[in-house]
């Protein structure tokens, strides 16, 4: 659980800071090195958690560099993260040859038609979750940037 928190919050935060403080060459080296090291340790963790977290951090850093601040940057990054999560579901379907939605419906004993009608609710939850997540991260980035620049 604690390592998941580091993966979900810490990696995008650190990646965003690297993106803000260095050039694109160093960001790419950071992303590739982190991906390689995490893949050697646990490929599935790297594929489904680390890589999306790295991409989210880079994306958020790009938004900040382009002076898109406040709620709009949080919303755009949340939508981007939600898209990565939906791609992860499709990746799970492709790699493991399972229907993720059907597996969830069987696990929770819900008819597939009900699951289809709950897609909007699921998307809303994911968007809300990432909005809160990025709201917290964005406030901390501005605080840390203030500390780093005023040394």
């Amino acid at each position: 659980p604690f390592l998941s928190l580091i993966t979900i919050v810490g990696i995008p935060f650190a990646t965003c800071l690297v993106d803000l403080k260095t050039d694109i060459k160093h960001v790419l080296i950071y992303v590739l090195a982190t991906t390689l090291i995490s893949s050697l340790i646990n490929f599935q963790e790297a594929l489904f958690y680390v890589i999306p977290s790295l991409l989210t951090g880079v994306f958020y850093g790009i938004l900040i560099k382009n002076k898109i601040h406040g709620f709009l940057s949080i919303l755009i990054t949340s939508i981007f993260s939600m898209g990565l999560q939906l791609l992860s579901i499709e990746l799970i379907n492709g790699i493991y040859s399972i229907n993720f939605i059907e597996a969830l419906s069987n696990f929770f004993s819900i008819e597939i038609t009900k699951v289809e009608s709950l897609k909007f609710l699921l998307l809303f939850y994911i968007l809300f979750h990432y909005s809160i997540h990025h709201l917290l991260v964005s406030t901390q980035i501005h605080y840390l940037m203030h500390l780093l620049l005023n040394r």
Side-chain angles (χ1 to χ4, degrees):
F2 180 70
L3 291 177
S4 296
L5 181 65
I6 290 173
T7 303
I8 293 170
V9 176
I11 291 176
F13 182 72
T15 305
C16 184
L17 286 176
V18 169
D19 191 25
L20 291 172
K21 298 299 285 180
T22 63
D23 61 357
I24 188 69
K25 181 177 82 170
H26 291 100
V27 173
L28 289 175
I29 291 170
Y30 171 80
V31 168
L32 290 174
T34 305
T35 301
L36 179 63
I37 291 169
S38 62
S39 295
L40 292 173
I41 295 170
N42 185 337
F43 181 73
Q44 289 178 336
E45 182 89 15
L47 186 63
F48 296 113
Y49 295 106
V50 175
I51 293 172
S53 294
L54 288 167
L55 294 175
T56 299
V58 169
F59 188 77
Y60 192 67
I62 290 169
L63 291 177
I64 291 174
K65 280 183 179 179
N66 288 317
K67 303 203 183 325
I68 301 173
H69 295 287
F71 180 75
L72 186 59
S73 65
I74 295 167
L75 180 65
I76 293 169
T77 306
S78 298
I79 292 169
F80 178 78
S81 296
M82 182 181 65
L84 290 175
Q85 292 299 318
L86 293 175
L87 285 174
S88 293
I89 290 172
E90 292 303 316
L91 196 57
I92 290 170
N93 291 344
I95 291 174
Y96 300 110
S97 299
I98 63 166
N99 184 338
F100 189 76
I101 301 295
E102 187 177 315
L104 277 178
S105 69
N106 290 337
F107 181 76
F108 290 113
S109 300
I110 301 172
E111 294 177 25
I112 193 73
T113 55
K114 290 181 184 176
V115 171
E116 292 293 323
S117 66
L118 293 175
K119 278 184 179 179
F120 178 76
L121 183 61
L122 176 66
L123 291 176
F124 176 78
Y125 168 76
I126 292 171
L127 183 62
F128 177 75
H129 168 77
Y130 278 107
S131 295
I132 297 299
H133 164 75
H134 289 291
L135 180 65
L136 294 173
V137 170
S138 69
T139 58
Q140 294 305 311
I141 283 179
H142 295 295
Y143 173 71
L144 278 176
M145 289 303 293
H146 175 73
L147 289 177
L148 290 173
L149 294 175
N150 293 324
R151 282 190 153 198

